[in-house]
Amino acid sequence: MAKTVYGDAMTAHELRRLYWSEPFEPFQLDLHDGRQILVASRDWLAISPTNDTIVVAPTIFAMEIIDVPAIDGCRYINNRAAVNGAA
């Protein structure tokens, strides 16, 4: 089960709050185009200095470059199996 954190368009400031939260909780980004991108650890996310773009690397062989305005919202992922790729 996932708990919605932000339900509107997100900002880089909100992403940084999720990034630096202690303890870190995995979360899923919901994009305008319907895709859902998992951020399972801090190592998977980079926010540009200009705050308009992020890079998410959901696997060792892939990365997504995302415009921050394209993020509709996000939710915490409570299912460890989903974070570990088993679900």
Side-chain angles (χ1 to χ4, degrees):
M1 184 60 66
K3 178 180 86 171
T4 299
V5 181
Y6 294 100
D8 287 326
M10 294 191 66
T11 66
H13 174 73
E14 292 165 334
L15 286 166
R16 280 191 176 84
R17 287 179 60 194
L18 293 169
Y19 181 90
W20 290 113
S21 66
E22 284 295 335
F24 179 85
E25 292 187 55
F27 58 92
Q28 172 182 291
L29 299 172
D30 298 324
L31 307 183
H32 285 334
D33 63 8
R35 291 183 296 150
Q36 298 174 324
I37 308 293
L38 175 65
V39 180
S41 80
R42 285 187 186 108
D43 296 337
W44 292 19
L45 176 67
I47 303 169
S48 73
T50 57
N51 295 322
D52 59 352
T53 306
I54 64 170
V55 177
V56 181
T59 70
I60 196 167
F61 298 110
M63 72 175 160
E64 297 275 347
I65 298 171
I66 301 165
D67 292 329
V68 172
I71 303 171
D72 279 340
C74 78
R75 45 188 118 193
Y76 285 122
I77 303 298
N78 298 330
N79 182 344
R80 279 288 169 199
V83 171
N84 293 328

